[in-house]
Amino acid sequence: MFIEKAAYSSLEISKVMELVSRRCRSEIGALVARNIAPAFDMAELKRRQALYMDVERYRGYKGELPWINDIVSVAFMLEMAEENGLLSGEELVKIRLLLTLSGRMRDALSAAREEYPNFGILLRDMRDFSEEARMLAVIDDDGHLYDYASEKLSALRQQMRGLKDTVRRRGHALLNDPAIAGMLQERVLTLRNGRYAFLVRQDALSQFPGSVIDRSGSGNSVYMEPRSLLSLNNGYSKLYGEEMLEETRIFREFTAKLINRKKGIIDTENVLGTVDLFYALSEMTRIYKWRLPDLDPRTLFSFIRARHPLLGERSVPIEIRCGGDFRILVITGPNTGGKTVALKTAGVCIYLGWLGFPIPAGEGSLLGDIGELFTDIGDEQSIEQSLSTFSAHVTHVTEILDRVTPRSVVMLDELGAGTDPEEGAALGIALLDWLREEKALVLATTHHNPIKRFALTTEDIETASVEFDSATLSPTYRILIGIPGRSNALLIAGKLGMRRSIIERAERAINGREISMEDLIGELHEKRAALEREANAVEASRKKLAALEKDYEAKIKAIEEKRDALIANADKKALSIVRNAEDSARALIKNMENAQAESEARRELEKKRSHFQKIERSAIKREEQKTSVESVAATSHELKAGDTVQVIGTSKSATVIEVKGKKARIQAGIAEIEVPLTKLKVITRKSPDRAPQAQAQVQIKVSRPVGVPSSIMVRGMTIDEALPMVEQYLDQAYCAGYDTVTVIHGRGEGILRREVQELCKRVPYIAEHNLGGPGEGGYGVTIVKFRR
């Protein structure tokens, strides 16, 4: 997208970008923010958005990408080094810091590229600088070379240290000489201009056995080199000079190698700056609720709850759109009502959106394929050309018209102003009509009633107004699309105390046509206000009815659940009584000694058994009817892997692993089981960008399972919940052919463990049961072995 220089200035884009750059952690991020240009087409814009979203997802799941807060831009250093061929030690340290961060960033992006494929956009401009980073490792953090930077440097410094020790020994001997010590200002051997000297009093200058090499800052004393140190100082100075030459040679060698890779280093700096800019944008999103707009291939825009970022908390969110139903939007209303701010807000959102940035607007905002952005906002009077304000505007608008295409957005503030109202209105109408024919998107503001009438009656043009509260004489800054605005000049004058007779004269001075236009607009506003009041009342009633409906449904559900629970409990008790009676009858018959009586008793039991079975079938049917209404099968939900489900009749959830025909394999705690779809209901759908969350432990009762796990988890359950579940599981596991299974009950106070083991003692097909060994769970599990 192209933005003209005048639009960049009038929309105050540089100030907006400064807000973003302040959130960057480094100057390289701020530089990228100030220099970034809009995407040149929709394909590039989509790539930018995709890259930003990948970085955001990475930060959300894996934390921050590598960063070093002290990093600075090195591009200017390298450009200067091309001229003089030398980088200082301090500059080389800064470059080393950037290359070190580059290596860490490159490794992190490469490791995550498979999961975040858009990282390839960043990696494309990053090079391997590990060799250069190792080269610069011979420099300490203050920019000084270590001795091992070269063999020659190491040898020179070794000699210098030897000479320095000799000089110090001789110097300390002189300090202990009473004849010399009495002439000194300070009893200290000092290195001055590369030579060791003493600070001698001014009055002892002629007596000290040596030569002057410097004066003190106060001028009351001089630095003098003793004759006895002359030869040693000469040797030290020679070595010092050779050391400086060797250090310069090494720095020039490093500089040459870095200049050879200048482009790669600058590209890498831009990548690191982009990552820092994304961090700043993420902060803007977090603090100010900026959002990425949805993209549309058509030339349009629609911004929901958009705010101008320079107004901060004072800004009122607006909704503004253009394209789709209309190509031109004419905004009217009183001065200082927010018309110009609305234009600038839309312009800033378009520009930021085409940078690939989140915009200061809410979810659901839409940004289309926009090729150019032109504005004529504010006073563009040119003193150099001696043009009037009107002439300057006409000159600028003429330049815009020469470049307009159907993909252009044109913003015109105070259309037709600055000249005779009648001629200005006519020119404004002609301009809008020409832009309509060119199919450009146009946002315009005006006070002229002829332009309002033209907008109301012309196809592809829509009117809007900035809302004005006539009671408080202040704007609300809301944009009302579909309704033109009133100037409110006479109303404001009257409210502020202007004589009524003067107001009436002003009203008579307006021709009848203009009065009818103002009255029409006033009537529209009154009707809109009445409709809005009715809509608010309807919405309040709707919310009240929805709350009552929700409360009613909750109460009905609670009653049904209570009823079902009572019936289920009654069925349970009835079945228990029936089975106990049947067991007792069998036991009595077994103990009968009279064969004839036993035979008669068995016949009587068989007669009653049909009645028992009828009771059992009735209970089972009620349970099946209850589950089928809520089930996946009954509601026709398309169950998928990753969905969160609930086994009907329980309060816990599980995750779908696989759907097989009319059954689903689910993960319930550590257990995997197959359950008929008639026994499952959907809780939530899996999000495509998130990994499945670990599921809570589940209490499950499933009749006739196809698959049975090798262990069961009952940890955290009550005895009443756990024991029936364990007993049923042991039956299923035995029938499934297991030799050994595990019951996971947890350590706790040992109550559940004891009850589980007591149950195992009563089950006839269990050969033995023992606590888990090392690595098996210890006291938290019971290992059950079946008889075969």
Side-chain angles (χ1 to χ4, degrees):
M1 185 192 78
F2 167 79
I3 179 171
E4 63 164 349
K5 186 177 179 180
Y8 191 92
S9 175
S10 62
L11 293 176
E12 301 178 279
I13 297 297
S14 58
K15 293 181 181 179
V16 175
M17 299 311 294
E18 186 62 29
L19 284 180
V20 176
S21 63
R22 287 178 199 163
R23 295 285 171 185
C24 294
R25 297 164 292 182
S26 69
E27 67 177 47
I28 63 172
L31 283 171
V32 172
R34 297 187 190 107
N35 297 326
I36 190 170
F40 57 82
D41 62 16
M42 185 63 77
E44 186 195 352
L45 178 56
K46 289 178 179 178
R47 285 194 295 270
R48 290 190 185 188
Q49 280 200 353
L51 175 58
Y52 174 76
M53 287 189 287
D54 265 7
V55 173
E56 275 291 88
R57 280 195 289 266
Y58 181 96
R59 293 180 70 230
Y61 286 110
K62 299 190 177 182
E64 295 294 344
L65 286 162
W67 194 254
I68 299 175
N69 287 330
D70 297 330
I71 196 170
V72 298
S73 175
V74 302
F76 181 73
M77 301 177 195
L78 292 171
E79 289 172 4
M80 294 299 295
E82 277 190 313
E83 297 180 10
N84 57 36
L86 182 64
L87 289 162
S88 68
E90 291 83 355
E91 290 172 330
L92 288 169
V93 168
K94 292 173 182 177
I95 292 174
R96 182 183 67 193
L97 201 64
L98 184 137
L99 298 184
T100 300
L101 176 58
S102 168
R104 296 177 188 171
M105 184 69 72
R106 193 166 178 265
D107 290 344
L109 294 175
S110 298
R113 184 174 180 176
E114 185 175 346
E115 189 174 356
Y116 304 95
N118 293 293
F119 283 0
I121 299 172
L122 299 176
L123 288 167
R124 184 178 57 205
D125 291 328
M126 298 191 79
R127 305 290 181 268
D128 183 4
F129 293 104
S130 55
E131 183 179 341
E132 286 75 12
R134 283 193 297 271
M135 174 185 76
L136 298 177
V138 298
I139 307 173
D140 67 20
D141 291 343
D142 295 323
H144 302 128
L145 288 166
Y146 290 115
D147 292 356
Y148 54 81
S150 74
E151 292 183 5
K152 184 176 181 180
L153 184 64
S154 179
L156 286 170
R157 288 183 176 176
Q158 184 67 29
Q159 294 178 55
M160 290 174 69
R161 281 192 288 270
L163 271 178
K164 190 184 294 185
D165 291 341
T166 303
V167 170
R168 284 176 176 172
R169 284 196 301 272
R170 291 193 183 181
H172 289 147
L174 291 172
L175 287 173
N176 292 327
D177 184 346
I180 297 296
M183 303 179 194
L184 303 179
Q185 186 74 29
E186 296 177 354
R187 294 188 63 202
V188 177
L189 183 65
T190 305
L191 185 65
R192 196 75 174 182
N193 297 331
R195 305 181 74 84
Y196 285 96
F198 293 113
L199 188 60
V200 179
R201 298 198 316 272
Q202 185 72 33
D203 58 351
L205 179 62
S206 59
Q207 302 173 28
F208 188 84
S211 55
V212 176
I213 61 172
D214 200 3
R215 288 191 173 274
S216 67
S218 65
N220 296 327
S221 51
V222 293
Y223 287 97
M224 299 189 70
E225 178 185 27
R227 294 191 189 94
S228 59
L229 299 182
L230 180 61
S231 62
L232 292 173
N233 271 340
N234 287 341
Y236 185 84
S237 294
K238 179 176 178 295
L239 291 172
Y240 181 78
E242 292 179 8
E243 179 194 30
M244 293 298 102
L245 287 173
E246 177 63 9
E247 288 184 349
T248 301
R249 183 195 68 78
I250 293 171
F251 285 154
R252 285 191 183 280
E253 180 184 328
F254 290 173
T255 301
K257 290 182 178 179
L258 293 172
I259 287 174
N260 285 337
R261 304 205 64 186
K262 174 188 169 186
K263 184 181 183 305
I265 293 173
I266 293 176
D267 287 345
T268 295
E269 179 182 304
N270 287 333
V271 170
L272 296 175
T274 300
V275 172
D276 194 24
L277 173 58
F278 284 171
Y279 171 85
L281 293 172
S282 180
E283 288 296 288
M284 301 299 284
T285 299
R286 180 179 63 84
I287 298 170
Y288 302 114
K289 310 303 181 188
W290 289 19
R291 294 290 182 268
L292 276 178
D294 297 327
L295 301 181
D296 193 290
R298 298 169 294 172
T299 300
L300 52 76
F301 62 83
S302 175
F303 302 129
I304 298 171
R305 296 191 59 79
R307 296 174 180 266
H308 198 292
L310 296 182
L311 294 179
E313 296 298 324
R314 296 176 297 150
S315 62
V316 175
I318 64 171
E319 295 188 12
I320 187 166
R321 57 188 169 87
C322 194
D325 297 339
F326 53 87
R327 305 290 292 178
I328 298 175
L329 183 66
V330 178
I331 306 175
T332 57
N335 289 326
T336 70
K339 300 189 301 296
T340 303
V341 171
L343 294 192
K344 289 186 174 183
T345 301
V348 167
C349 287
I350 290 170
Y351 182 79
L352 291 176
W354 267 87
L355 291 177
F357 290 4
I359 63 175
E363 295 285 355
S365 294
L366 200 63
L367 181 62
D369 185 12
I370 294 171
E372 302 85 25
L373 179 58
F374 302 105
T375 68
D376 185 65
I377 299 174
D379 186 1
E380 299 296 333
Q381 181 174 351
S382 172
I383 297 175
E384 292 179 358
Q385 298 177 14
S386 299
L387 299 174
S388 69
T389 301
F390 178 72
S391 298
H393 281 301
V394 169
T395 300
H396 183 211
V397 171
T398 301
E399 293 172 354
I400 291 174
L401 298 182
D402 291 338
R403 306 174 75 175
V404 163
T405 73
R407 295 175 61 233
S408 298
V409 172
V410 181
M411 297 184 176
L412 302 172
D413 194 25
E414 298 299 343
L415 189 63
T419 186
D420 175 75
E422 187 172 344
E423 291 185 353
L427 184 61
I429 290 171
L431 185 58
L432 289 180
D433 201 31
W434 187 88
L435 289 168
R436 181 177 67 88
E437 291 177 355
E438 293 298 312
K439 301 187 182 303
L441 291 188
V442 181
L443 290 183
T445 67
T446 188
H447 284 291
H448 291 301
N449 279 338
I451 297 178
K452 298 178 190 178
R453 283 197 298 272
F454 175 74
L456 279 169
T457 58
T458 306
E459 187 180 3
D460 285 339
I461 302 180
E462 184 59 275
T463 59
S465 61
V466 286
E467 190 177 47
F468 186 83
D469 189 337
S470 58
T472 61
L473 298 182
S474 60
T476 66
Y477 303 105
R478 291 174 57 201
I479 302 295
L480 306 175
I481 294 179
I483 302 176
R486 304 179 66 181
S487 65
N488 293 299
L490 300 183
L491 175 64
I492 293 172
K495 292 281 188 180
L496 293 178
M498 180 71 72
R499 293 176 182 272
R500 181 60 194 163
S501 60
I502 295 176
I503 300 295
E504 290 173 354
R505 290 189 185 195
E507 290 173 345
R508 287 194 298 272
I510 301 173
N511 62 56
R513 184 179 61 181
E514 296 297 327
I515 289 176
S516 63
M517 182 66 185
E518 286 290 311
D519 290 344
L520 173 62
I521 293 172
E523 187 178 344
L524 284 173
H525 278 274
E526 289 173 5
K527 288 182 178 179
R528 183 201 62 79
L531 287 172
E532 193 172 77
R533 286 193 297 271
E534 289 182 13
N536 291 336
V538 169
E539 179 64 16
S541 298
R542 188 195 65 77
K543 288 181 179 179
K544 186 176 180 180
L545 286 173
L548 289 171
E549 183 180 8
K550 187 176 180 181
D551 184 54
Y552 171 78
E553 288 177 351
K555 288 180 178 177
I556 291 295
K557 187 176 180 181
I559 291 169
E560 289 177 348
E561 287 176 352
K562 188 174 181 180
R563 180 202 63 195
D564 291 344
L566 289 171
I567 292 172
N569 191 43
D571 286 341
K572 195 174 183 180
K573 287 182 178 178
L575 288 173
S576 177
I577 292 169
V578 166
R579 285 168 183 159
N580 288 337
E582 190 174 359
D583 290 343
S584 299
R586 284 199 188 97
L588 288 171
I589 291 170
K590 189 176 180 180
N591 293 328
M592 283 184 176
E593 295 180 358
N594 189 314
Q596 184 179 355
E598 181 183 349
S599 178
E600 291 178 1
R602 286 188 184 279
R603 282 195 298 272
E604 189 64 27
L605 179 60
E606 287 300 324
K607 291 178 184 179
K608 296 294 185 182
R609 181 170 291 166
S610 61
H611 179 64
F612 296 160
Q613 289 173 345
K614 184 178 179 182
I615 294 173
E616 187 173 5
R617 282 195 300 271
S618 176
I620 291 171
K621 185 177 180 181
R622 276 195 295 273
E623 183 65 22
E624 287 177 349
Q625 287 175 344
K626 173 188 169 184
T627 59
S628 64
V629 174
E630 302 173 288
S631 70
V632 173
T635 55
S636 300
H637 278 293
E638 185 181 348
L639 203 61
K640 296 178 182 177
D643 286 350
T644 303
V645 296
Q646 191 177 74
V647 179
I648 297 173
T650 73
S651 60
K652 304 297 181 180
S653 58
T655 304
V656 175
I657 299 173
E658 184 183 8
V659 179
K660 298 179 179 179
K662 296 184 178 181
K663 294 185 177 65
R665 187 157 56 93
I666 65 172
Q667 178 80 41
I670 65 168
E672 290 185 12
I673 59 173
E674 279 192 348
V675 183
L677 297 183
T678 55
K679 298 285 186 177
L680 295 176
K681 65 178 178 180
V682 175
I683 304 300
T684 57
R685 292 287 184 191
K686 178 186 174 184
S687 171
D689 294 325
R690 297 177 182 268
Q693 301 295 314
Q695 302 298 320
Q697 297 163 8
V698 185
Q699 178 187 355
I700 300 175
K701 298 177 183 177
V702 185
S703 60
R704 297 182 299 278
V706 174
V708 180
S710 62
S711 63
I712 185 172
M713 168 80 75
V714 294
R715 183 174 58 203
M717 298 183 184
T718 64
I719 293 172
D720 291 337
E721 292 173 334
L723 289 185
M725 186 175 173
V726 172
E727 186 174 7
Q728 184 180 17
Y729 167 75
L730 292 174
D731 288 343
Q732 294 168 350
Y734 178 73
C735 295
Y738 281 106
D739 293 322
T740 304
V741 294
T742 303
V743 179
I744 304 169
H745 43 62
R747 292 173 179 268
E749 298 178 2
I751 298 172
L752 186 55
R753 181 180 69 241
R754 287 194 298 270
E755 291 296 330
V756 167
Q757 293 185 351
E758 284 297 320
L759 172 64
C760 291
K761 292 177 183 177
R762 298 194 299 269
V763 176
Y765 49 78
I766 292 179
E768 59 182 79
H769 60 277
N770 302 293
L771 293 174
E776 294 178 322
Y779 285 89
V781 304
T782 293
I783 309 297
V784 178
K785 186 174 181 181
F786 296 115
R787 298 181 189 277
R788 292 297 177 192

